Amino acid sequence: MRVGIDDTDSPRGGCTTWALTELARLARDDGLDLIGAPHLVRLNPNIPWKTRGNAALSMRLGHGLGTPTAVGELDGRPVVAYHRGREPDPDEAARYVEEARRTVTRLAPRDRGTDPALVVTPGPLPSSLYWTAVRDRTTLGKVEPVLRRAGATTWVRSGRRGLIGASAAIAWPARRATWELIAYRRPAAWGTSRRVDAATVLAAQRAWPELFLCHDPRTRRLLVAPHTACPILFGLRGTTPEAPRAALGRIRSEPVDRWMLFRTNQATGDHLVPRSVPALRGYRAGWVRGSVDAPVSVLPGGHVRFDLRDRAGQRLVCLAFEPTKTLPDVARALVAGDRLRVWGSRGPGGALRLEGIEVLALASPGRWRAPRCDRCAGRCRSLGSGRGWKCPRCRLRLPPERAGWSPVPRTVAPGTYHPTPSARRHLAPRAPETGPTPVF
Ligand SMILES: [Zn+2]
């Protein structure tokens, strides 16, 4: 059976991933095993009512078969997961759902705007539920019939909106995936400043190159620890499950209360899909190809705006925001005719908020200059468009094609440009973190 939860956090605290560790503890107490690691699924980052990371979670429970692997630690005891298993009995499943409902009720903060939801299904859900929730705006009207057909048990405390995320987390096919090991603080430390030794984080990243988004060399920010009052101490992201698990022992910090390894869609770029300008409606994300339409303008605060035209001539306003550090520099150096592929999400105002720029081909701006005279080396004068050149001193005539082209030097090279690591979104495709160097 699959268990999905969403929206047990709020801007004032709480944490959906922590709630999932409590549900995993409950499963262990009930004699149920994790089948595979729990899933941490990021959904469309552009939905306006979602101010935080828009994460939902799911896990699969049953009776494990074969050899288990450690995916966490709770109350000083390991949490293990099996590659495969058999389904729980209906009585066991029903008892678990009842206890899970009570746990989620207890943990979700009673804030306005927090709509905790729990979805339990006896089998998988169609992956289309995930793809719509990560790339587009979806509605309960589309999700609820699918849940009914799947025989799902659902619970919400107030609004039903959380059902969308909880279902999408169950529906995530997890084929393209990375990992995040999240270490949690003791409850007594929640809300106080975190103690994580940055030098040991940097050493771990050097020792395990599979780790990513640990630190931003440009802004010198440590990226593993959040800055909110949530229970998370730090999160180690990796392209393999082994690297964060091995690195955990290297990080010096305040005591770790518990940890859990999540399989996640972070850094997969799953929210991006090639779109034409008209198809990239508000709150959607995507890739668009086109040519720069001059002029590029620098806005207050160091943001840069330029217009892009796709093949059909449709215009798209693109915004490179200052906190991305790298993108405004690239945007400022663009001229009309440069061919680009850009990606990002479209805000309510219609502008594309850039998450990256690929410079495919540069236009070569410049101007025609009058040739020098073959006889006296003086500068010729134009006789008019297409009519050639004439030396004012010795009257020698030269044909139009003798004009010289003087190109304007370019300060941007073809290549792919990503935001500085601290400004990358959870879903943003994985990319080098060493600075503004283009990747060819
Ligand atoms: Zn001359």
Side-chain angles (χ1 to χ4, degrees):
M1 77 179 181
R2 273 88 170 161
V3 179
I5 54 170
D6 188 22
D7 216 10
T8 56
D9 57 357
S10 78
R12 287 209 280 124
C15 174
T16 313
T17 72
W18 197 83
L20 189 112
T21 66
E22 288 290 294
L23 293 183
R25 178 219 297 275
L26 198 61
R28 190 175 67 183
D29 293 349
D30 279 0
L32 291 171
D33 299 315
L34 278 168
I35 311 301
H39 290 176
L40 164 55
V41 179
R42 303 283 176 176
L43 300 172
N44 188 344
N46 313 308
I47 298 296
W49 54 81
K50 288 290 185 182
T51 51
R52 299 178 71 203
N54 201 359
L57 288 109
S58 73
M59 61 182 171
R60 195 175 162 192
L61 298 175
H63 294 289
L65 302 167
T67 316
T69 51
V71 294
E73 194 183 292
L74 259 166
D75 307 329
R77 286 196 294 140
V79 175
V80 298
Y82 293 80
H83 283 296
R84 56 202 181 84
R86 63 175 177 80
E87 294 303 325
D89 307 327
D91 287 353
E92 282 180 310
R95 191 179 65 215
Y96 181 80
V97 172
E98 185 49 34
E99 290 169 350
R101 191 184 61 71
R102 276 204 297 273
T103 301
V104 173
T105 309
R106 178 166 54 82
L107 295 175
R110 295 202 161 270
D111 285 2
R112 275 163 67 92
T114 303
D115 292 328
L118 174 73
V119 172
V120 182
T121 62
L125 289 173
S127 61
S128 57
L129 283 187
Y130 166 70
W131 292 113
T132 317
V134 75
R135 291 176 172 170
D136 210 336
R137 272 208 281 196
T138 190
T139 61
L140 279 166
K142 285 181 193 151
V143 172
E144 287 187 312
V146 180
L147 290 178
R148 273 196 296 277
R149 276 198 297 278
T153 307
T154 63
W155 170 84
V156 295
R157 186 172 62 199
S158 38
R160 303 182 66 75
R161 205 172 60 198
L163 293 177
I164 294 174
S167 314
I170 295 175
W172 178 45
R175 266 179 227 114
R176 195 158 43 181
T178 64
W179 301 80
E180 181 165 359
L181 185 153
I182 299 181
Y184 297 89
R185 317 181 72 189
R186 292 166 307 158
W190 295 0
T192 64
S193 70
R194 288 174 176 78
R195 284 184 296 115
V196 179
D197 179 34
T200 58
V201 174
L202 294 183
Q205 181 155 40
R206 278 194 297 274
W208 290 277
E210 302 92 333
L211 298 180
F212 63 93
L213 291 182
C214 293
H215 170 256
D216 188 335
R218 176 190 285 260
T219 60
R220 295 170 163 258
R221 273 183 57 191
L222 198 61
L223 304 180
V224 294
H227 299 279
T228 55
C230 76
I232 295 177
L233 179 57
F234 58 80
L236 298 173
R237 288 165 277 233
T239 52
T240 65
E242 292 82 13
R245 218 159 25 200
L248 176 64
R250 271 303 172 89
I251 310 296
R252 267 209 309 269
S253 70
E254 64 182 63
V256 171
D257 177 75
R258 60 180 69 177
W259 61 271
M260 185 74 80
L261 181 66
F262 296 91
R263 192 176 175 118
T264 158
N265 67 342
Q266 291 171 163
T268 59
D270 272 2
H271 63 312
L272 300 171
V273 58
R275 294 193 200 270
S276 66
V277 173
L280 188 64
R281 294 196 299 265
Y283 308 115
R284 277 187 169 179
W287 316 88
V288 180
R289 273 169 184 271
S291 298
V292 175
D293 222 22
V296 169
S297 51
V298 179
L299 309 176
H303 317 304
V304 178
R305 182 203 138 126
F306 63 89
D307 290 358
L308 197 75
R309 247 175 227 288
D310 71 4
R311 276 237 293 264
Q314 299 281 330
R315 203 172 58 95
L316 179 67
V317 175
C318 297
L319 289 175
F321 287 113
E322 191 280 330
T324 65
K325 303 297 177 197
T326 54
L327 301 182
D329 289 347
V330 175
R332 234 192 326 264
L334 296 172
V335 300
D338 286 343
R339 287 206 303 111
L340 309 179
R341 186 173 74 136
V342 296
W343 56 99
S345 57
R346 205 157 185 187
L352 186 75
R353 299 145 183 234
L354 293 176
E355 290 176 35
I357 300 173
E358 184 182 2
V359 179
L360 299 168
L362 292 173
S364 34
R367 59 190 183 90
W368 295 104
R369 298 194 66 209
R372 288 195 178 274
C373 171
D374 288 342
R375 203 179 291 154
C376 71
R379 184 73 70 186
C380 293
R381 282 194 190 145
S382 175
L383 292 169
S385 177
R387 294 179 56 207
W389 310 90
K390 186 178 177 183
C391 175
R393 280 202 287 178
C394 65
R395 312 229 162 246
L396 179 77
R397 282 169 171 255
L398 293 173
E401 60 270 22
R402 286 292 302 278
W405 176 256
S406 66
V408 171
R410 301 299 311 269
T411 54
V412 64
T416 306
Y417 300 89
H418 297 273
T420 199
S422 58
R424 284 182 204 164
R425 295 187 125 157
H426 291 297
L427 280 162
R430 198 161 119 65
E433 296 170 17
T434 45
T437 324
V439 188
F440 293 96

